[in-house]
Amino acid sequence: MNMLTIISAVLISAISPIAVPDLPGIKDARAIALDDQYIVAVIPDAYAGLDAKSDALRTATEILGEEWDAEVFLTEDLMTYMSLARIEKRGADEYERKSLAARLNKIHAYCYASEKVG
C-alpha cells in the first residue's frame, strides 16, 4: 500500500464515512472510504500484552479487507480516530482533510495494512 497515494486521495478525493461492523477485540471504530481504499481508526479493548493487542488489530484488518474487498489501512491512533469522527459528524472540509493527511504521514510506520484480495 502506497502511503503517498492514500495521503493524496485524502486531500483530493471524495470522502465518505462508512459504518464499521462489530469486530472482535475492538471497542469502537470509525472509517472512511476513498475509492477502493479504506482508512479505519479503532479503539481496541484492553489487553494484558502487546502481542494480544497486535493480533487483534491484525485480525480486524484482515476481516475488514476480506469483507470490503479493498485495501484497508487500520490504526489505533487516537488523533486519527478523532479526525474521522469529526469528518463523520461535520463533513470533510479542507481543515479536516489536511489534519487527517498530516496524521497519516506521522503514523504510517506503525499501522496495519491489508491488501485487496481480488
Side-chain angles (χ1 to χ4, degrees), residues 68-86:
W68 293 336
D69 190 28
E71 293 178 310
V72 175
F73 181 71
L74 185 137
T75 181
E76 63 173 316
D77 180 61
L78 186 58
M79 295 301 290
T80 304
Y81 177 87
M82 297 303 293
S83 290
L84 295 182
R86 286 191 309 267

Side-chain angles (χ1 to χ4, degrees), residues 82-100:
M82 297 303 293
S83 290
L84 295 182
R86 286 191 309 267
I87 288 172
E88 186 176 313
K89 184 176 182 179
R90 294 187 248 161
D93 61 10
E94 184 179 353
Y95 172 79
E96 295 300 345
R97 288 173 182 272
K98 287 182 179 178
S99 174
L100 181 58

